[in-house]
Amino acid sequence: MSPRDLRGAAAIVGVAESDLGEVGQDRYAIELAAQAAGTALAEAGLTTRDVDGLFCAIAGRGMAPLDVGEYLGVRPRYTDGTMVGGSSFVSHLHHAALAIAAGACDVALIVYGSTARSDSGRGRLAMGPPELPSYEAAYRPRPPITGYALATARHMHQYGTTRAQLAEVAVAARQWARLNPKAFARDPLTVEDVLAARMVSSPLSTLDCCLVTDGGGAVVVTSAARAADLPRPPVYLLGAGEAHWHRAISQMPDLTVTAATESSARAYAMAGLGPEDVDMVQLYDAFTINTILFLEDLGFCKKGEGGDFVSGGRIAPGGELPVNTNGGGLSYCHPGMYGIFPLIEATRQIRGEAGERQRPGVSVAVAHGNGGQLSSQVTAILGGRDTL
Amino acid sequence: MTAPGSEAAVTPRHEAAVTGSAPHREYLDRLAAGSVPFQTCDGCLTAVFPPRVICPACGATELRWSESSGLGTVYSTSVIAPRDADPYPVVLVDLDEGFRMMSTVVETPAADVPIGMRVRAHVEQDGPSGPRVVCTAAEAAEGEDAS
Ligand SMILES: [Zn+2]
């Protein structure tokens, strides 16, 4: 089987979020995951009894698939707990398509939950065993913000990107969030507000940083053949690609070029499509610089031109290229690992179910996941029936 | 098979592995002795940092310890301003030998540490969590290419 054989072989047939925002201290990550799973399966016309492939990652839980399997009563014959930070779920979609194509499972449930916001009111999670010694900790960076700040400073230095251009990313995200009733931050926001916000790790201010919320999500995937018999219009996986080059920010070779250059090239090659064929983009925007870097690395503009590209409302409602139409990690929801939400939003937009923020005629959407400190990059290209 | 009583037999393998070449221990010992340590691959001559047991460029397992001159250039910088303490820069420094590390710049106001600044790295023995490599602004003369 070649990557091209995977094009259109699997489809998303159900998506859902759990309760989002701040759910309260007596609720747990797995409950949110399970709530989202139940809703997504119901939308797909399936139940937990149909699930035979389980894909999940939860920060701080080394055996999350076992926890979730027990909680849901799912006894999978294929399990994938790949944990590459916030990009995990886009990676899970790729792996699920491969597993389904190989006959290793038939109905894959990708599921995530986190109470990152409510956790701040209870004891910290116990630390796990040491990985490698840190060669960064002695300098007291604020992870992960400082990693992204260092990339931002370098991008500004090399290409003349400005803080006002970064602020445009936050403002566009907020304008989309104002159209999404589920978004956490919906107050009006201006470039001036972002520029005036307290600096956290220069050149990033509090408003250049994503939210910290609670939230869960679920995505149900099956074969294209089976999807045809299910109630919702299938959203096909047309292309997927993965890449990672480093973990620690000090080991990132060029802080202005991410492994998304490779992950997106692989995804485009599988889909037989290029950025010019893409109607909208759902990117992992943990920080304002992410959107700029990924628009460049996914080929929507040249390297170094991302700041200019996002200016003047081009990625905001009414702009040429809709980006993060749910409001993104900056204004909609960011429970520590955001990567399942780009899949959910891209699916809804392709189905034409995004309400007030719906863009007409979306047939191809990109969902891109990022993990670590610009470390892991996973790109998925999704399309409706007309793209097969 | 090694004969009983020979040198190899009295030094268990696992002990040799831990005391002989544990990369982090070697790094800390060299740091404590005042050097800015890194490794060089015998196979492809790549400068390797942080320390490890295999070359990330070519896969060779013969890595030689070296001592950096300390001269380097700030690749990127971020200033962190805690609410209750002085701001401090966190920098990535490209050492002239060809490796990059996270560090900080001392004796210069945090806001005055630009990308491209030439610095000299040295060991601060009484760092917040033990010895660490910190940088100071390099003198103009030593910042220039001396070769
Ligand atoms: Zn080598």
Side-chain angles (χ1 to χ4, degrees), chain A residues 140-208:
Chain A
R140 294 177 293 145
R142 287 197 54 182
I145 301 172
T146 302
Y148 290 86
L150 290 163
T152 308
R154 189 70 202 178
H155 202 275
M156 292 170 74
H157 173 78
Q158 258 176 262
Y159 304 114
T161 309
T162 65
R163 287 201 59 225
Q165 290 171 333
L166 294 161
E168 292 255 12
V169 172
V171 169
R174 182 63 57 87
Q175 288 174 357
W176 283 114
R178 289 173 63 75
L179 304 176
N180 181 0
K182 288 179 178 158
F184 188 76
R186 303 185 69 203
D187 294 336
L189 183 72
T190 66
V191 166
E192 291 68 35
D193 294 333
V194 181
L195 295 179
R198 181 174 61 82
M199 203 57 90
V200 181
S201 187
S202 73
L204 297 180
S205 76
T206 53
L207 291 172
D208 288 294

Side-chain angles (χ1 to χ4, degrees), chain B residues 89-108:
Chain B
V90 174
V91 299
L92 298 178
V93 178
D94 286 334
L95 279 301
D96 288 0
E97 290 85 1
F99 67 98
R100 180 179 297 166
M101 64 186 305
M102 186 173 280
S103 187
T104 189
V105 176
V106 296
E107 297 169 19
T108 297

Side-chain angles (χ1 to χ4, degrees), chain A residues 289-313:
Chain A
I289 189 65
N290 292 39
T291 301
I292 288 172
L293 288 173
F294 296 149
L295 286 170
E296 293 171 350
D297 291 345
L298 271 63
F300 294 97
C301 61
K302 290 203 187 104
K303 181 50 63 185
E305 295 180 359
D308 191 42
F309 186 86
V310 301
S311 298

Side-chain angles (χ1 to χ4, degrees), chain B residues 41 43-46 55 57-60:
Chain B
C41 172
C44 71
L45 304 181
T46 295
C55 172
C58 76

